[in-house]
Amino acid sequence: MRTLLVRLAGGLTLVGSSQVALASGWNMPVGVTDLSREIYNLHMAIFWICVVIGVIVFGVMFYSLFRYRHSKGAKAANFHENTTVEIIWTAIPLLILVGMAIPATATLKKIYDPSDAELDVLVTGQQWRWRYEYLGEDVAFNSNLATPRAQIRGDEERGEHYLLEVDEPLVLPINRKVRFLFTSDDVIHAWWVPDFAVKQDTVPGFITENWVRINEPGIYRGQCAELCGVDHAFMPIVVHAVEEEEFDAWLAERQEMAAEEAMGIDREWELDELMERGEGVYGSICASCHQVEGEGSPPAFPALAGNEQMLADLEWHKDVIINGVSGTAMPSFRTTLNPVELAAVITYTRNAWGNDSGDVVQPAEIAERLE
Amino acid sequence: MSQDDNEVRQAGVRRTVWRSVAALVGMFAFAWALVPLYDVFCRVTGINGQVDTTAQALVHDDVDESRMVTVQFITRNGSGLPWRLDVETRQVRLHPGQTSEVNFTFSNQSRSENWARAVPSVTPNTATRHVRKSSCFCFEEQLLQAGERVEMPLVFQLDRDLPPEVTTVTLVYTLYPVEGKTQKLQAGVKLDEGGEA
Amino acid sequence: MAPKVPPQPTLEQSTAAAEAGHGHAHEAPPKGIMRWLLTTNHKEIGTMYLIFSLIMFFIGGIFALVVRLELFQPGMQFVNPEFFNQMTTMHGLIMVFAAVMPAFTGLANWMIPLQIGAPDMALPRLNNFSFWLLPVAFGLLLSTLFMPGGGPNFGWTFYAPLSTTYAPPSTTFFILSLHIAGISSILGAINIIATILNMRAPGMRMMDMPLFVWTWLITSFLLIAVMPVLAGVITMMLMDINFGTSFFNAAGGGDPVLFQHLFWFFGHPEVYIMILPAFGIVSAIIPAFARKRLFGYASMVYATGAIAVLSFLVWGHHMFVVGMPLAAQLFFMYATMLIAVPTGVKIFNWVTTLFRGSISFEPPMLFALAFVVLFTIGGFSGLMLAIAPADFQYHDTYFVVAHFHYVLVPGAIFSIIAAVYFWLPKWTGHYPNVRLAQWHFWLSVISVNLTFFPMHFSGLAGMPRRIPDYALQFADFNMVSSIGAFMFGFSQLLFVAVIVMCVRGGQKAPAAAWGEFADDLEWSVPSPAPLHTFETPPTFKRPAH
Amino acid sequence: MWGVIKSVLWAFLGVQRDEQRREDFEKGSPLAFIITGVVLGLLLVAILAVVAVWVAG
């Protein structure tokens, strides 16, 4: 509350100068792309137009309220029509609107220019995480909320980037045109990073696109903007914009990591190893619905701890994890998790929270099934 | 007010009510008509990347060699279908007007037969109208036996009127289960088994 | 919103009616609950509508306060996200369909026959039926909160597939209740149209009608045009959920975006349904207390018509980020900007009515003046939202929440409060308590701005709507909003107090309670208005000034 | 006819003189106005659509 007062005071001293626009946290960010700057300018232009019209209209109104008070013996005039005046106040707004429409159209056309992208990233919304695939680069990963649940409950002090931090940020190069393709696995989400002025719905079964060319390296944060269910507030977006060489190096490193992971498929895994890996996967992917202790939240999300159907039928269990269940929030993890992760999470859920089935599912088994 | 006036009023009310009801019915019908209209509108204008699913004649001998366009293919899986959809190449580069053929592989990895359907989407939507397909599996319901693997070709071209700012066209196929048919199928299998026993 | 039992017809009235040669002598009405269940009297039905909407206003308000309580601080403190989503959804649905719309219908029931000199609505029995559908509809809707899986949790816009494939099991009941509420609105609209077109006093032509009647006529046409579309779209949802069709399901070849097109084809005119009658109310109140004829009556009527027509062409501006083609974006942007013109005309006309008037500040006038200012602020943010490129930033943020609450709370709801204060003398025969009404006004106007103005900032700074928990930089704005919301909520208890006091007593009001410039026909009948009025149609005389 | 069109066009802007609307409402049948309104409304849609498509290129 005190910070608010300070900011309010700060804000008020700035009113009247266009600097008020730059007071951070009160206004639309200028952003770090040419388009976000243009959009910001459009926003400020229409804002000031509204302010001017408002001052005139409310000025006349409050002047009348003050000047023509009945209590001060004002006598009402008797006029109720003036076509000239009416035409003028119809024509002026029309002209202002045309004046606004022209730059708005120009900016919109730039947003809709899909040409000559240097990098394509497929962004998939899923309840409740984002998945990024660098098309043609063999790099793909999920990006989950990293804020611990304890902070949300208030058991721990909240960090600076509370709810705006993820386990794996999207990494993008600056100065390159990056084309985003958007789609969804389940419901409609919306991918939004204010500093890029990019907000696009992700529609299941359909694909939409937008693009960005970032001018400055930095860390940019955003959130899902379309109500997508229980954890709508908990699927943030973090983008690391880095220099081009750094990006290329990062990409190469990720490709290497993926190759290493693929090597792990063929070897025999111990139960402990799989449990450890599986706990990590479960925590970031499954726990938001089925809960950390596997108790679920029925009827939408069944409990896994003590789930008889799951424990009795291993093949069915694998099938559900790999293919998902249509018409429910259970997605297909066929492509979003690799065989090692799939094997680990299946093993984990069959042995955690007292399920203790002792089943060990090997990555090689899963890989073969997916061939 | 005289009795006559009252009757005139009542007649007026009746007329108004009937007209209103007619308008209501009309608007209700209109709402339903919007569904197919929207479909047609989308196919004509390319909104939402809805593509024309009917096979189209390819136009030959009319290749625009002055520019190259990249066509990307993305395959995705909807939930609940034990199938895998692969494409032999992730992208091709071609001239507008040039014909290309790309093979898609559908494999059923389960131990039972299933129905599925591939739903296509194209972006950017200014390109949608300019993608011509002579053979395609879009929206078609397909049946695969347990473990069956089928290759299907997509033969297509981009027509020469493709807007110049379009340098990359992305085609996405999402595979969804056809629940009703699969269920019927499996129920049928059980019945048969029951009959034999 | 007035819990007012209309007085029994006086002896003179009854005899006058009998002498006028009507076939139906007024029998003693049934007593107790049956009287209210069976009444066909427009005043009694109007009163029931108003009481119903006042109760629903408080229920929807409590839901809003649950939302604001959770958002008071970052973190999850009081409710879980699932229940939070049910609260935001129910708040929206109740406020739109059960509070604002029935309140306007109640005012229409009470005032339209009085303003056009008709003895009752054209279809009195249908009128009773359409009211009693409402408690059924919203009883059902509220009961979904107690069903397994909870009530609707997908926002009042219920976008598919969140509201179909991924919806809780109670969604079928939600659809049913919307169907019933929709039928109620449609029947109400037919009744109003039939009344206005056929029941006017001899000599009253269309262009002599008060603006409240005009705006309601146009609103009724909008209702008839779009409620069937809503009915259609929720029927499609019902079929998708229960009968395996795929209207909005991509898996079956449908399109989730089609839902949004259909919904907003209904939804945008719906927004105007909630504001046009407000225009009519304000156009009656401002001249009354400025002691000057309304400036540009004809323009007002025509502007209302223009807004109604344009409202069908702008639905796409709710969907600027779904990936529509450029041409569609431009079309909807241009059409939306055009709406600013007739809306501006209305505001200029009100201001010019004030100019060189002789202005006094009775309670209805206070709320009407606040309406003009705050609705205009909502209009400004609407104009900003119309700019499609900028909407990529505004869309689905608290900026939008601020915008539509400015239009609906100090817009629609202030106009309803103004109308209640304006017509209470006619309903009860007493003036509302001025001191208390002034307190109500000032507390409301301060708290409404405290609640909604900071939302502009949190939205621009990047806070998405419909989230139960938020990043730390939005904390201050949310705290102010929550404080304001609780203030606003509790201030409305004053409103109830004023109404109750006014029903029970107070300064007596004459027939023409607000002087010579509140000169529509309703001010020619005694205050309180007898149960039966204009059984002998009045002869309409055009105002002299 | 031109008078009717003019009246409806003014209505789109929301401006009308008292005398003119009196004159309009003396004419008896509103049908001419309604039809003209619908036609001009569709024309507005068409013009906006053409402009939008043309600008979009």
Side-chain angles (χ1 to χ4, degrees):
Chain A
M1 200 57 203
R2 187 182 301 147
T3 50
L4 177 81
L5 290 176
V6 172
R7 278 159 79 182
L8 191 64
L12 286 176
T13 54
L14 288 172
V15 167
S17 73
S18 60
Q19 289 301 306
V20 68
L22 298 173
S24 76
W26 286 74
N27 198 355
M28 183 189 287
V30 180
V32 290
T33 70
D34 294 349
L35 272 176
S36 74
R37 181 172 295 274
E38 267 188 39
I39 286 174
Y40 171 81
N41 289 336
L42 276 175
H43 157 70
M44 289 316 285
I46 188 79
F47 169 71
W48 286 116
I49 288 172
C50 289
V51 168
V52 170
I53 298 174
V55 166
I56 295 169
V57 173
F58 298 148
V60 173
M61 181 173 165
F62 282 98
Y63 169 81
S64 305
L65 292 183
F66 185 78
R67 171 79 174 68
Y68 305 113
R69 274 172 294 171
H70 186 64
S71 58
K72 292 281 176 276
K75 288 272 172 293
N78 184 18
F79 64 89
H80 54 84
E81 208 179 62
N82 186 329
T83 311
T84 322
V85 173
E86 292 192 54
I87 289 173
I88 289 172
W89 72 39
T90 311
I92 291 177
L94 258 180
L95 289 177
I96 295 174
L97 288 175
V98 172
M100 262 325 288
I102 291 168
T105 305
T107 305
L108 203 56
K109 286 185 80 165
K110 287 184 201 162
I111 295 174
Y112 272 77
D113 174 15
S115 65
D116 300 320
E118 293 161 85
L119 176 68
D120 298 279
V121 179
L122 175 65
V123 178
T124 309
Q126 194 181 77
Q127 285 178 329
W128 288 273
R129 68 185 59 82
W130 296 99
R131 180 172 175 79
Y132 302 112
E133 285 172 55
Y134 294 75
L135 294 183
E137 306 286 354
D138 283 324
V139 172
F141 53 87
N142 300 309
S143 181
N144 298 285
L145 176 74
T147 304
R149 294 269 149 179
Q151 284 189 17
I152 296 172
R153 282 193 308 267
D155 302 341
E156 256 175 45
E157 187 162 352
R158 299 190 175 94
E160 186 190 353
H161 298 299
Y162 176 68
L163 296 187
L164 296 178
E165 50 202 348
V166 296
D167 54 358
E168 293 239 37
L170 175 65
V171 178
L172 294 177
I174 60 168
N175 299 329
R176 279 191 206 164
K177 182 166 182 172
V178 180
R179 175 168 168 259
F180 295 118
L181 300 169
F182 297 99
T183 188
S184 166
D185 281 341
D186 34 53
V187 301
I188 299 175
H189 306 264
W191 195 88
W192 179 34
V193 177
D195 280 310
F196 302 163
V198 170
K199 183 186 286 143
Q200 198 74 51
D201 282 356
T202 69
V203 183
F206 291 82
I207 196 136
T208 51
E209 68 174 88
N210 209 316
W211 63 273
V212 69
R213 181 185 274 122
I214 308 166
N215 293 333
E216 290 163 40
I219 298 175
Y220 305 109
R221 294 167 201 276
Q223 280 179 273
C224 175
E226 179 69 64
L227 179 63
C228 55
V230 178
D231 281 353
H232 165 52
F234 306 113
M235 50 184 294
I237 296 144
V238 179
V239 180
H240 281 206
V242 297
E243 302 285 350
E244 296 172 81
E245 307 82 63
E246 201 182 331
F247 173 76
D248 293 333
W250 173 84
L251 202 60
E253 191 192 321
R254 289 302 304 224
Q255 283 161 341
E256 213 168 288
M257 272 169 63
E260 244 172 66
E261 180 89 2
M263 305 262 283
I265 293 173
D266 294 331
R267 76 179 171 85
E268 187 87 1
W269 286 60
E270 296 295 325
L271 176 63
D272 291 350
E273 271 181 297
L274 285 170
M275 285 296 283
E276 193 191 330
R277 187 72 194 271
E279 186 172 6
V281 175
Y282 185 85
S284 59
I285 304 285
C286 318
S288 58
C289 300
H290 295 290
Q291 308 302 318
V292 181
E293 294 301 320
E295 71 270 30
S297 49
F301 308 118
L304 302 184
N307 184 315
E308 281 170 20
Q309 183 177 21
M310 177 181 101
L311 290 171
D313 190 345
L314 176 59
E315 286 308 310
W316 177 81
H317 187 188
K318 286 186 201 164
D319 187 51
V320 166
I321 304 275
I322 293 172
N323 298 315
V325 181
S326 116
T328 71
M330 183 69 192
S332 154
F333 288 107
R334 167 184 296 276
T335 48
T336 51
L337 294 179
N338 66 39
V340 176
E341 291 167 325
L342 285 168
V345 81
I346 295 170
T347 306
Y348 177 75
T349 45
R350 298 186 75 77
N351 292 287
W353 326 295
N355 279 358
D356 299 330
S357 66
D359 296 334
V360 178
V361 178
Q362 288 298 335
E365 215 179 308
I366 300 291
E368 196 196 329
R369 191 187 164 107
L370 291 178
E371 263 315 302
Chain B
M1 187 162 59
S2 75
Q3 208 64 33
D4 286 354
D5 284 349
N6 208 19
E7 265 161 32
V8 170
R9 260 190 186 182
Q10 286 310 316
V13 169
R14 265 197 299 280
R15 202 168 50 238
T16 311
V17 170
W18 283 119
R19 283 180 186 169
S20 302
V21 170
L24 276 174
V25 173
M27 284 309 292
F28 191 72
F30 175 67
W32 290 83
L34 280 175
V35 179
L37 281 177
Y38 175 76
D39 227 37
V40 171
F41 191 69
C42 285
R43 302 247 155 104
V44 172
T45 59
I47 296 181
N48 279 333
Q50 284 251 9
V51 279
D52 198 325
T53 50
T54 52
Q56 291 153 299
L58 297 181
V59 186
H60 294 286
D61 67 54
D62 203 16
V63 177
D64 176 1
E65 289 185 344
S66 65
R67 60 183 173 137
M68 291 288 271
V69 179
T70 305
V71 181
Q72 300 172 323
F73 303 98
I74 300 175
T75 56
R76 305 182 64 251
N77 258 73
S79 54
L81 185 69
W83 287 25
R84 178 179 169 138
L85 175 59
D86 286 299
V87 56
E88 66 176 338
T89 174
R90 298 275 183 75
Q91 67 176 53
V92 294
R93 282 178 66 72
L94 45 71
H95 300 293
Q98 198 180 333
T99 305
S100 183
E101 181 175 332
V102 175
N103 279 317
F104 286 74
T105 314
F106 294 74
S107 33
N108 180 351
Q109 300 182 332
S110 75
R111 288 165 298 174
S112 55
E113 43 185 353
N114 309 83
W115 283 93
R117 166 199 292 125
V119 173
S121 181
V122 176
T123 190
N125 50 37
T126 41
T128 315
R129 269 185 304 153
H130 305 286
V131 180
R132 303 169 150 274
K133 302 174 184 177
S134 74
S135 88
C136 169
F137 40 81
C138 330
F139 288 116
E140 262 171 41
E141 293 174 3
Q142 300 164 49
L143 175 67
L144 285 194
Q145 304 299 323
E148 192 183 351
R149 182 183 285 256
V150 168
E151 258 192 21
M152 293 198 202
L154 168 70
V155 182
F156 73 100
Q157 66 178 193
L158 300 169
D159 71 34
R160 289 181 49 120
D161 303 332
L162 185 76
E165 70 271 15
V166 177
T167 52
T168 308
V169 177
T170 308
L171 274 87
V172 181
Y173 288 95
T174 311
L175 209 50
Y176 286 108
V178 184
E179 295 274 295
K181 278 195 162 179
T182 301
Q183 271 161 19
K184 248 182 237 163
L185 205 65
Q186 280 160 5
V189 167
K190 278 181 196 134
L191 266 182
D192 289 349
E193 281 168 358
E196 278 164 37
Chain C
M1 294 190 186
K4 165 70 183 92
V5 181
Q8 298 300 301
T10 59
L11 187 64
E12 296 82 40
Q13 282 286 324
S14 308
T15 22
E19 277 165 11
H22 275 260
H24 59 288
H26 300 293
E27 297 141 31
K31 291 274 182 289
I33 186 85
M34 287 314 281
R35 168 174 170 209
W36 294 98
L37 276 174
L38 299 176
T39 180
T40 56
N41 180 288
H42 74 101
K43 298 185 183 77
E44 292 183 334
I45 291 172
T47 304
M48 291 197 296
Y49 263 110
L50 289 168
I51 295 172
F52 175 80
S53 88
L54 185 63
I55 293 169
M56 285 297 161
F57 176 61
F58 277 96
I59 292 177
I62 289 168
F63 294 164
L65 292 186
V66 172
V67 168
R68 284 313 328 168
L69 185 71
E70 181 53 53
L71 291 174
F72 183 67
Q73 280 186 329
M76 298 306 304
Q77 279 96 12
F78 299 98
V79 297
N80 58 35
E82 169 59 30
F83 190 68
F84 181 93
N85 285 347
Q86 293 177 31
M87 286 293 101
T88 51
T89 306
M90 279 296 203
H91 164 68
L93 290 169
I94 294 285
M95 286 302 194
V96 168
F97 294 105
V100 173
M101 289 172 68
F104 280 130
T105 314
L107 291 171
N109 262 292
W110 245 106
M111 303 319 299
I112 285 177
L114 284 179
Q115 290 197 320
I116 62 173
D120 204 316
M121 298 291 280
L123 306 153
R125 280 188 295 270
L126 191 73
N127 205 12
N128 173 290
F129 181 61
S130 56
F131 169 75
W132 283 109
L133 285 176
L134 283 181
V136 175
F138 292 101
L140 184 61
L141 183 63
L142 289 172
S143 74
T144 60
L145 284 176
F146 305 101
M147 291 180 186
N153 57 8
F154 27 66
W156 86 274
T157 51
F158 47 99
Y159 281 5
L162 189 62
S163 62
T164 53
T165 315
Y166 297 86
S170 65
T171 305
T172 302
F173 294 98
F174 153 79
I175 291 171
L176 186 61
S177 79
L178 265 198
H179 263 307
I180 299 172
I183 290 168
S184 165
S185 299
I186 287 170
L187 296 180
I190 292 179
N191 208 343
I192 288 169
I193 294 176
T195 308
I196 296 174
L197 292 186
N198 301 296
M199 309 279 285
R200 293 192 308 278
M204 183 188 266
R205 296 166 314 181
M206 296 288 279
M207 267 297 174
D208 297 321
M209 300 190 311
L211 266 168
F212 181 66
V213 180
W214 255 118
T215 51
W216 243 115
L217 179 65
I218 292 168
T219 302
S220 302
F221 283 127
L222 285 183
L223 278 168
I224 290 207
V226 299
M227 289 316 272
V229 177
L230 176 70
V233 72
I234 58 180
T235 308
M236 291 173 204
M237 275 175 65
L238 188 77
M239 292 171 69
D240 270 10
I241 293 172
N242 295 310
F243 305 118
T245 56
S246 296
F247 288 101
F248 310 129
N249 182 3
D255 184 350
V257 176
L258 171 64
F259 173 88
Q260 296 182 27
H261 282 291
L262 290 174
F263 179 82
W264 286 114
F265 186 82
F266 147 79
H268 200 81
E270 167 69 20
V271 173
Y272 287 90
I273 286 166
M274 292 190 284
I275 203 66
L276 294 185
F279 291 164
I281 291 165
V282 171
S283 302
I285 293 175
I286 287 183
F289 300 98
R291 293 169 180 76
K292 185 159 161 277
R293 255 181 83 184
L294 181 70
F295 185 85
Y297 168 89
S299 298
M300 286 297 218
V301 173
Y302 285 54
T304 311
I307 291 172
V309 170
L310 286 174
S311 75
F312 286 100
L313 307 180
V314 298
W315 78 88
H317 70 218
H318 298 271
M319 305 166 57
F320 277 148
V321 306
V322 295
M324 285 191 298
L326 179 57
Q329 300 273 83
L330 290 171
F331 175 88
F332 288 119
M333 175 167 83
Y334 297 155
T336 306
M337 290 169 94
L338 274 184
I339 285 200
V341 175
T343 314
V345 164
K346 287 188 160 287
I347 289 163
F348 298 144
N349 282 346
W350 290 322
V351 172
T352 313
T353 306
L354 292 169
F355 185 70
R356 295 182 61 201
S358 174
I359 301 162
S360 55
F361 300 94
E362 282 81 353
M365 183 64 161
L366 287 176
F367 278 98
L369 292 174
F371 170 93
V372 174
V373 174
L374 299 178
F375 173 78
T376 306
I377 291 177
F380 283 147
S381 53
L383 189 54
M384 295 172 78
L385 285 160
I387 310 292
D391 191 67
F392 278 89
Q393 292 280 43
Y394 305 137
H395 183 85
D396 264 335
T397 69
Y398 261 79
F399 190 81
V400 177
V401 178
H403 159 69
F404 67 73
H405 278 95
Y406 261 87
V407 176
L408 285 176
V409 182
I413 289 179
F414 271 25
S415 83
I416 293 165
I417 295 172
V420 169
Y421 283 152
F422 188 56
W423 282 314
L424 264 177
K426 185 55 57 197
W427 300 338
T428 68
H430 307 123
Y431 284 105
N433 183 312
V434 174
R435 185 48 60 85
L436 221 49
Q438 283 171 339
W439 271 98
H440 175 218
F441 171 74
W442 286 108
L443 284 172
S444 295
V445 93
I446 291 168
S447 58
V448 93
N449 285 294
L450 210 54
T451 311
F452 299 116
F453 210 80
M455 290 182 182
H456 290 114
F457 299 130
S458 49
L460 290 174
M463 181 167 163
R465 65 193 280 207
R466 293 167 170 164
I467 55 174
D469 193 5
Y470 48 83
L472 301 180
Q473 66 262 37
F474 310 126
D476 296 338
F477 299 130
N478 276 285
M479 188 176 279
V480 176
S481 282
S482 289
I483 292 169
F486 276 87
M487 246 177 89
F488 183 79
F490 283 99
S491 307
Q492 300 322 305
L493 295 175
L494 281 176
F495 183 43
V496 180
V498 175
I499 294 169
V500 170
M501 285 166 63
C502 193
V503 172
R504 307 176 105 193
Q507 193 196 336
K508 291 258 178 287
W514 299 115
E516 58 170 327
F517 283 86
D519 58 355
D520 293 324
L521 277 178
E522 78 265 30
W523 304 108
S524 69
V525 303
S527 298
L531 194 56
H532 298 280
T533 41
F534 296 132
E535 306 236 291
T536 313
T539 315
F540 177 75
K541 278 204 253 10
R542 237 141 268 125
H545 37 262
Chain D
M1 193 59 208
W2 172 236
V4 175
I5 292 174
K6 217 163 65 176
S7 281
V8 173
L9 282 176
W10 278 120
F12 275 1
L13 291 174
V15 175
Q16 190 54 287
R17 270 178 310 139
D18 235 20
E19 295 128 61
Q20 182 59 47
R21 65 107 177 142
R22 238 176 232 138
E23 216 170 277
D24 291 347
F25 276 78
E26 302 291 313
K27 285 194 181 130
S29 166
L31 205 64
F33 286 92
I34 293 169
I35 292 171
T36 317
V38 170
V39 170
L40 287 180
L42 292 175
L43 199 66
L44 176 76
V45 175
I47 290 170
L48 273 182
V50 166
V51 169
V53 169
W54 173 70
V55 170

